[in-house]
Amino acid sequence: QQQQQQQQQQQQQQQQKQETTKTSNPESTDFEAHIPKINTVTLVGRIGQAPEPRYFDDGKVVLRLSLAVRRKYHPLERQVRNIKSGEEETDWFNLEMWGRDAEYAGKYVTKGARVGITGTLNIDS
């Protein structure tokens, strides 16, 4: 009986090891294996061009926008970099919206409007 119990315990341990190796990346730690991969970006800026939604034959809508976002600096960082107020750099982002969001933005967003957008970051190559 003791031998059977030991064999069962060994089998259970082997199964647990197999399950953990299947679900986790061998290069990541146990801590990293439990952290979800999140790709979320929030931007606040001004619309650079008048939105023009495009409608496809199958009913889908796409809206491409450019968004100007000013870089903000801490006052001490301004001193070190010799950046005066009003001389901040501007980053431009190309945005692509689909579906109801695209229709809504096409109706109500105008050039120069200040907007906040949350979405995912995709880099085209």
Side-chain angles (χ1 to χ4, degrees):
Q1 278 186 335
Q2 287 179 348
Q3 288 179 345
Q4 288 178 348
Q5 288 177 350
Q6 287 177 348
Q7 287 177 349
Q8 287 177 349
Q9 287 177 350
Q10 288 176 350
Q11 287 175 351
Q12 287 175 352
Q13 289 174 352
Q14 287 176 350
Q15 287 176 351
Q16 287 176 349
K17 285 181 185 178
Q18 288 175 351
E19 288 175 7
T20 55
T21 55
K22 286 179 187 175
T23 58
S24 65
N25 184 353
E27 296 176 4
S28 66
T29 63
D30 289 336
F31 178 76
E32 291 172 342
H34 297 290
I35 297 175
K37 306 291 186 253
I38 298 175
N39 179 6
T40 303
V41 176
T42 302
L43 300 170
V44 176
R46 296 198 178 268
I47 300 296
Q49 64 200 26
E52 296 177 17
R54 288 186 19 209
Y55 293 86
F56 294 100
D57 293 336
D58 60 357
K60 292 183 180 179
V61 183
V62 65
L63 179 66
R64 291 194 173 96
L65 297 171
S66 61
L67 184 71
V69 178
R70 262 187 20 198
R71 289 190 190 181
K72 299 277 184 173
Y73 294 100
H74 187 275
L76 293 175
E77 192 174 7
R78 283 180 187 274
Q79 269 185 331
V80 171
R81 294 181 180 218
N82 292 326
I83 299 172
K84 295 178 182 171
S85 183
E87 293 181 358
E88 295 91 356
E89 296 173 5
T90 301
D91 295 314
W92 287 89
F93 294 89
N94 294 319
L95 309 176
E96 187 174 271
M97 302 170 77
W98 288 85
R100 289 185 304 173
D101 294 334
E103 287 185 47
Y104 183 83
K107 285 181 185 177
Y108 299 107
V109 174
T110 60
K111 179 181 177 178
R114 188 169 183 196
V115 296
I117 295 177
T118 301
T120 58
L121 180 65
N122 296 323
I123 298 174
D124 296 335
S125 54

